[in-house]
Amino acid sequence: MRIATWNVNSITARLPRLLAWLESTGTDVLCVQETKCAEAQFPAERLRELGYESAVHATGRWNGVALVSRIGLTDVVKGLPGGPEYEGVAEPRAVSATCGPVRLWSVYVPNGREVGHDHYGYKLAWFEALRAAVTEDAAGLLPFAVLGDFNVAPADDDVWDLSRFEGATHVTPAERAALAALREEGLSDVVPRPLKYDRPYTYWDYRELGFPKNRGMRIDLVYGNAPFAGAVKDSYVDREERKGKGASDHAPVVVDLDL
DNA sequence: ATGGCCAATTCGATTGGA
């Protein structure tokens, strides 16, 4: 089976590319982030025409996540259990479901904005709630994975120029410790192949020729438990989807499994 | 060919992204 995660930066703006991509790649399950629409505006019918069911957790112009599956979609949980609120709002940043043989989460971790900002504390609290929420499944015998935009570059090599990130979010020890805490629960980082250049970046800023100059970051991650990671045949970043007019600033991460 | 931001929203300056 083939699963993938993709921060689409508006599913409405990305719909033509998304539908064509699902068909051309034969993806069985797609974890979507930044739908940027209300749940009622989610293009569930268009996806159904292609044979996909959708589980959507979205409220409006910001955030929003979904799971899109053609191999079943059951036991849907919307939201992060025990997750923190930001300015009194429980934002739609997580949805989980069982798709065929695997249990999956699609997550959009808060950005953090600036180190020391309220949003940064919120980001770390959100990570801790995620860790607590996945403990049981991470240690379980069934294939399980958390996929999405984690908004953290796990290692120095995961950003194009570390000197440009001095004092910035996405690379701080506290954020990386939050990823390490997830790994200590039994999840491992399924690192994709790059299809060009030496690093598997998944995000390139729209500004200043970020993509043509390969000024990227690896922040879209697949964290799988042992049964999941052991079934991985291949994984790659589909940088072709970052090209051209109407691209998201993130590329899909694809994982092929013997399941 | 991969090109000097993009998307949603009070319809256009603002917010958020990372």
Side-chain angles (χ1 to χ4, degrees):
Chain A
M1 63 181 291
R2 169 167 282 179
I3 69 174
T5 182
W6 190 8
N7 180 325
V8 295
N9 185 18
S10 169
I11 198 163
T12 306
R14 219 62 60 213
L15 191 60
R17 290 183 75 129
L18 177 76
L19 297 173
W21 186 84
L22 283 172
E23 285 212 293
S24 67
T25 59
T27 297
D28 295 302
V29 186
L30 176 63
C31 302
V32 182
Q33 300 86 38
E34 285 211 84
T35 58
K36 288 188 169 179
C37 66
E39 194 162 322
Q41 269 62 61
F42 188 88
E45 274 309 312
R46 299 293 301 279
L47 289 160
R48 193 185 311 278
E49 290 165 9
L50 292 186
Y52 293 89
E53 298 172 86
S54 302
V56 184
H57 186 38
T59 55
R61 73 183 290 199
W62 304 123
N63 313 307
V65 287
L67 282 159
V68 175
S69 171
R70 65 177 189 183
I71 59 169
L73 194 59
T74 58
D75 299 311
V76 173
V77 176
K78 297 182 180 184
L80 175 60
E85 296 183 345
Y86 186 68
E87 296 181 339
V89 177
E91 298 175 320
R93 294 179 175 276
V95 63
S96 55
T98 299
C99 301
V102 299
R103 178 123 193 116
L104 302 173
W105 285 67
S106 175
V107 302
Y108 178 47
V109 177
N111 170 289
R113 298 186 188 166
E114 294 171 22
V115 176
H117 193 286
D118 282 350
H119 210 261
Y120 181 76
Y122 168 58
K123 180 179 193 173
L124 296 177
W126 203 95
F127 263 122
E128 171 53 23
L130 177 64
R131 185 204 61 73
V134 303
T135 295
E136 192 174 329
D137 286 333
L141 298 174
L142 300 176
F144 170 79
V146 182
L147 303 92
D149 180 354
F150 284 66
N151 269 319
V152 180
D156 291 351
D157 279 350
D158 292 317
V159 296
W160 61 277
D161 181 356
L162 191 62
S163 71
R164 303 288 189 109
F165 290 84
E166 204 170 317
T169 58
H170 293 61
V171 298
T172 65
E175 289 166 286
R176 288 177 173 172
L179 290 183
L182 287 173
R183 294 193 295 271
E184 284 159 17
E185 296 288 345
L187 300 177
S188 54
D189 186 348
V190 177
V191 181
R193 292 184 288 120
L195 294 184
K196 190 177 179 182
Y197 307 120
D198 60 337
R199 295 295 311 164
Y201 299 144
T202 65
Y203 162 85
W204 300 260
D205 200 301
Y206 283 126
R207 293 166 290 190
E208 298 175 349
L209 300 172
F211 184 64
K213 293 181 176 176
N214 198 32
R215 295 179 168 184
M217 305 170 73
R218 185 171 79 93
I219 55 175
D220 298 273
L221 309 176
V222 177
Y223 267 42
N225 71 355
F228 182 97
V232 172
K233 284 191 300 185
D234 188 22
S235 181
Y236 64 93
V237 181
D238 191 354
R239 72 186 303 282
E240 296 300 309
E241 199 51 44
R242 180 61 180 77
K243 294 180 179 180
K245 191 172 173 62
S248 171
D249 44 1
H250 296 251
V253 177
V254 178
V255 184
D256 289 326
L257 298 138
D258 272 321
L259 287 174

